[in-house]
Amino acid sequence: MSYAGRCLCGTIHYELSGSPNSVSVCHCMDCQRSAGAPMIVWAEFPESQVKVIKGTPKTINSSGAAMRSFCPECGSGLFYRNAEILPGVVEVQASTLDHPSALPPTYQIQTAEQQPWVPHLAALKAYERFP
């Protein structure tokens, strides 16, 4: 299997090969602040299966051993690395894939930090486009 993805503005493009180790929804506060969203879907791949083919992401230390990479032009979050708890792997923000539905999450993590309204999203009135 192979997958392609990019940032919002197209400055950064990447390719993934093989199958992910896992795909999860993370609710931690670090992810919330990083994304400006209540959760992020992460696809975990071995480092050797992630290749940036265009551009150079900017990487910052977001907390301890946590390294977050993003597009320096548009700010799209792309990758997460933590050599202490996830050695040799890269977490890729699945929503930046060209076809994010190809890697649906199979579990949720850090639910102790999820926003209290998240479990009730399915009960909200929904519109396919702006009402």
Side-chain angles (χ1 to χ4, degrees):
M1 301 289 305
S2 65
Y3 306 93
R6 67 178 185 87
C7 66
L8 177 64
C9 72
T11 295
I12 310 291
H13 287 250
Y14 65 86
E15 291 178 344
L16 310 170
S17 59
S19 297
N21 298 340
S22 66
V23 182
S24 63
V25 177
C26 184
H27 296 274
C28 80
M29 289 303 295
D30 284 348
C31 283
Q32 291 180 44
R33 287 194 186 279
S34 171
M39 64 197 82
I40 296 177
V41 177
W42 293 107
E44 179 184 292
F45 283 84
E47 182 84 44
S48 62
Q49 293 175 235
V50 178
K51 182 179 178 184
V52 175
I53 57 172
K54 180 183 173 197
T56 303
K58 179 175 176 136
T59 300
I60 64 163
N61 181 318
S62 64
S63 59
M67 306 300 286
R68 292 180 185 271
S69 300
F70 56 94
C71 173
E73 295 299 317
C74 68
S76 294
L78 299 165
F79 312 119
Y80 174 88
R81 292 173 176 86
N82 188 318
E84 289 180 2
I85 63 171
L86 299 168
V89 300
V90 178
E91 297 273 357
V92 178
Q93 286 196 26
S95 294
T96 63
L97 290 166
D98 291 346
H99 303 286
S101 61
L103 295 177
T106 58
Y107 61 93
Q108 299 180 64
I109 60 174
Q110 304 292 73
T111 57
E113 297 177 33
Q114 79 180 9
Q115 294 298 315
W117 45 263
V118 167
H120 310 289
L121 286 176
L124 297 178
K125 191 171 189 173
Y127 301 92
E128 286 189 23
R129 303 280 183 231
F130 284 109

